[in-house]
Amino acid sequence: LIGESGSSKTTTIRHLALESARKRLKDTTALLPMLLYLPRWGSESTPQDFVRSQWRETELPIHVDPIALLKSGDIHLYLDGLNEMGEHGIENAQKLKSWLSSPDSPQYIIVTCRKDNYAGDFELDIPVVQIELLSDHHVREFVRNYLPTKSEALIKRILPSDDSSKQDKRHLYQLARNPYMLTALIIVF
């Protein structure tokens, strides 16, 4: 799952994990979600060791091997922040890529990464979904949901009425199409 900075990659993956957890609470045969933040990958030598250490840290059953559950498809793995792993990022991305192409790879995985960073050494050779900027319709809907009584005044300021303003790099429209920045505009407004 790739997108621009502030495009809601983390929010999206958290939402997906939450929905998966809700399904699991209602039905114990549903996939168990496991949401991990890749910047926390420290001294563990492999992605499997990282997963196991996070499993233990959250005090899940020690006698259960999460790698076996990932391979069998009983766990849905959500990895957030591929581009945020710091000085060992390239090395860890390559290890992750090797694991994902191995016979022991997880059956279900979603990894987030900034669009501009998902290239070269950070490409994992898995299907990619890109988060697009908000359309005018979605900007209006977003603002109306957060500011039901004052929305039209803000919409008038951030959505240009002509195409030349849409192309102007200094127009608020450029910020309004990014969910994070739109939220900031709403708060400032």
Side-chain angles (χ1 to χ4, degrees), residues 121-170:
D121 293 326
F122 283 94
E123 287 188 56
L124 300 176
D125 291 336
I126 57 177
V128 175
V129 173
Q130 181 175 328
I131 296 176
E132 297 293 332
L133 295 173
L134 296 174
S135 67
D136 292 3
H137 167 77
H138 288 114
V139 170
R140 278 188 194 88
E141 191 175 313
F142 195 102
V143 173
R144 287 177 179 148
N145 284 334
Y146 282 90
L147 295 173
T149 60
K150 301 177 185 179
S151 61
E152 296 312 311
L154 180 58
I155 290 169
K156 192 174 188 175
R157 294 182 79 182
I158 62 176
L159 289 181
S161 57
D162 59 273
D163 286 336
S164 65
S165 294
K166 283 186 177 185
Q167 303 307 319
D168 183 353
K169 298 288 184 203
R170 296 175 300 173

Side-chain angles (χ1 to χ4, degrees), residues 1-187:
L1 180 64
I2 64 171
E4 303 293 333
S5 176
S7 64
S8 296
K9 299 176 297 296
T10 296
T11 301
T12 300
I13 202 169
R14 285 179 179 177
H15 177 74
L16 292 170
L18 176 63
E19 288 305 310
S20 183
R22 286 179 175 154
K23 285 180 188 173
R24 177 67 182 218
L25 287 171
K26 290 180 183 176
D27 177 6
T28 57
T29 63
L31 295 179
L32 177 68
M34 187 172 192
L35 174 61
L36 303 178
Y37 299 98
L38 288 170
R40 297 187 71 190
W41 186 349
S43 61
E44 299 87 4
S45 61
T46 67
Q48 297 94 317
D49 289 341
F50 170 63
V51 169
R52 285 184 185 108
S53 75
Q54 296 300 293
W55 180 270
R56 285 188 304 272
E57 191 173 298
T58 54
E59 299 180 10
L60 291 165
I62 295 174
H63 67 281
V64 175
D65 182 14
I67 305 307
L69 294 175
L70 286 163
K71 180 182 176 183
S72 68
D74 293 316
I75 294 179
H76 193 157
L77 184 59
Y78 300 91
L79 299 176
D80 191 24
L82 181 67
N83 59 292
E84 300 172 13
M85 292 189 287
E87 67 178 294
H88 299 291
I90 291 173
E91 178 185 345
N92 287 348
Q94 291 301 300
K95 290 176 182 179
L96 183 57
K97 181 178 179 177
S98 292
W99 181 37
L100 296 179
S101 64
S102 77
D104 292 329
S105 70
Q107 282 193 33
Y108 304 107
I109 185 168
I110 297 176
V111 183
T112 67
C113 186
R114 281 198 186 146
K115 178 185 164 189
D116 292 342
N117 295 116
Y118 193 73
D121 293 326
F122 283 94
E123 287 188 56
L124 300 176
D125 291 336
I126 57 177
V128 175
V129 173
Q130 181 175 328
I131 296 176
E132 297 293 332
L133 295 173
L134 296 174
S135 67
D136 292 3
H137 167 77
H138 288 114
V139 170
R140 278 188 194 88
E141 191 175 313
F142 195 102
V143 173
R144 287 177 179 148
N145 284 334
Y146 282 90
L147 295 173
T149 60
K150 301 177 185 179
S151 61
E152 296 312 311
L154 180 58
I155 290 169
K156 192 174 188 175
R157 294 182 79 182
I158 62 176
L159 289 181
S161 57
D162 59 273
D163 286 336
S164 65
S165 294
K166 283 186 177 185
Q167 303 307 319
D168 183 353
K169 298 288 184 203
R170 296 175 300 173
H171 196 283
L172 289 177
Y173 179 69
Q174 305 305 324
L175 297 176
R177 298 184 66 209
N178 177 296
Y180 178 81
M181 298 307 282
L182 180 55
T183 301
L185 287 170
I186 290 169
I187 291 168

